[in-house]
Amino acid sequence: MSFRATPRHPALILDDIRGAQKMLSGVARMTAMEGSRHLTELVGAPVHLKCENLQRTGSFKLRGAYVRISGLSPVERAAGVVAASAGNHAQGVALASSLLGVRSTVFMPVGAPLPKVAATREYGAEVRLHGQVVDETLAAAQEYAEETGAVFIHPFDHPDIIAGQGTVGLEILEQCPEVRTVVVGLGGGGLAAGVAVAVKAIRPDVRVVGVQAEGAASYPPSLSAGHPVPLDAPVTMADGIKVGRPGDVPFALVEDLVDEVRTVTEDELAAALLLCLERAKLVVEPAGASPVAALLSDPGAFRGPVVAVLSGGNVDPLLMQRILQHGMSAAGRYLNLRLRLTDRPGALAALLAALSAADANVLDIAHVRTDPRLGLTEAEVDLHLETKGPEHRAEVEAALRAAGYRVIG
C-alpha cells in the first residue's frame, strides 16, 4: 500500500490506517478489551486492557508485517523476504509470508528462546540462528538481503508497518469510545506511532502515553535532542521494547503526537506481569506489561477511562518463572529472616508453630547449631517465607518478636 502523509501532517494518514484495517480483515483478530477492577480501583477511573497478547502469533506484530508484505510488487514477492528478530516480529513475518505465499527467511539470535524459534519455523519461515545480540542478527539479515535480493522487513521503521500497527488504535476507539488516555509500550516506536496517528486523527483530545523500560529508554534523550539518539547498551528483560535507537519514521510521529513518554523499572515490570497473571488471568510478556507497570507506578497520573495495550504474550516459560519470583519479591510476597533461638528439644517445632499461627508459608529453612558465633545453648535459623504482602510481612515479624524470638537479619 502507499503511504501518502508527511510526519508533520499525521491526520492525512488516517486513510492509510483504515486501508490497512480492510486489508487485515479475516487475517488479524479484533482482540478483546477487558476491564480491570483492580486497576480501576487503583487509578480511580475505568481501566481497560487491550489484549494484543491474544492476537495471532501472540502479539500485534502480525498486523504491520502483513500490511508491509502485502504492499510488495510481484517481483519483490518472488525474491522473498528476510527479517531479524528475537521473537515477535519473527513470528509475525513468518505467518504473514505464509498467508501471502511468500518465501521468508528469519534470522534469530543464537540464544533466542526455543519456543519462539519453534513457533517461527512452524509458521513457515526458514530460521537461521546468527549472533549473540539482535544487532549482530540484524546485520546478518541485511547482508543476506543484499546478497540474495530478498526484501528486508524492518520491525518498526517503515510507513506500512506503522499503518498496520495503527489498526490497534482504530479498534480501541471502536471498543472504548469514551477513552481519554491510551497507554502503550514504546520500543522502536512502530506501535506507539501507529496508535497515536489513528487516535489523534479521530480524537485529538485523547492523551497518548508511551512507556519504556528504564534500562532501554532511547526516546527521552532522543526527544530532548530532536532526533534519534542511540543507546550504547540497552538492558532490560522486556526484549519486546529493548531497542537501542528509535526508528526515523516512527520517531517523527511520536515526537508530534505522543503526549508523554514514561519509564518503568524492572521491579515494576515484574510486578505488572504478576498482576496480569493473578488478577486478569492473562499471560503477558514484560514488554506487553509495561503500560500496566506505568499505571502501578503512578496511578494518579492517568485520566480515565484508560486503555492499556497489552502488546504481546510470548514469554519463555523459564523467564516467566524467574520474573514471577522477582515480581512476588518486589510485591512484598517473600520474607527472609535470620533468628537466634535457644538450642533445646522442641525449639524448632515451636518456631514453626508460631509461623503457622501467623499464617506464613515456609519455603526454605536452614538450622545451624555449630558455629563459632553462637553461644553454647544457641542455634541460628535462616527462613525463607511466603507472605500475603507488605502488611502481612510486618505482622509476621511482629508476631515472632512478641513470641520472644530474636530477629538478627
Side-chain angles (χ1 to χ4, degrees), residues 17 77 309:
I17 296 177
R77 291 194 187 199
V309 180

Side-chain angles (χ1 to χ4, degrees), residues 313-334:
N314 292 319
V315 56
D316 179 62
L318 294 176
L319 177 61
M320 169 73 89
Q321 183 180 26
R322 294 198 299 271
I323 292 171
L324 290 179
Q325 290 174 340
H326 189 79
M328 290 182 69
S329 179
R333 300 277 290 277
Y334 291 135

Side-chain angles (χ1 to χ4, degrees), residues 28 56 61 92 130 147 155 207 217 239 286 288 295 361 397:
R56 296 177 71 179
K61 289 287 190 177
H130 184 92
E147 292 175 352
R207 186 171 179 80
D239 56 358
L295 294 176
N361 185 31
E397 292 191 61

Side-chain angles (χ1 to χ4, degrees), residues 6 27 44 96 181 184 206 259 313:
T6 63
V27 175
T181 304
V184 59
V206 172
D259 297 282

Side-chain angles (χ1 to χ4, degrees), residues 346-360 362 365 383 396 399-400 403 405:
L348 188 57
L351 171 61
L352 294 175
L355 290 169
S356 177
D359 206 18
V362 179
I365 184 168
L383 293 166
V396 171
L400 290 173
Y405 291 101

Side-chain angles (χ1 to χ4, degrees), residues 285-312:
E285 62 190 273
S290 59
V292 174
L295 294 176
L296 292 176
S297 68
D298 191 6
F302 300 90
R303 184 179 62 177
V306 178
V307 172
V309 180
L310 307 182
S311 58

Side-chain angles (χ1 to χ4, degrees), residues 338 340 368-376 378-380 382:
R338 178 174 295 173
R340 291 273 175 91
V368 179
R369 303 174 66 190
T370 55
D371 190 296
R373 296 172 302 153
L374 299 175
L376 207 60
E378 287 184 320
E380 195 169 272
D382 285 329

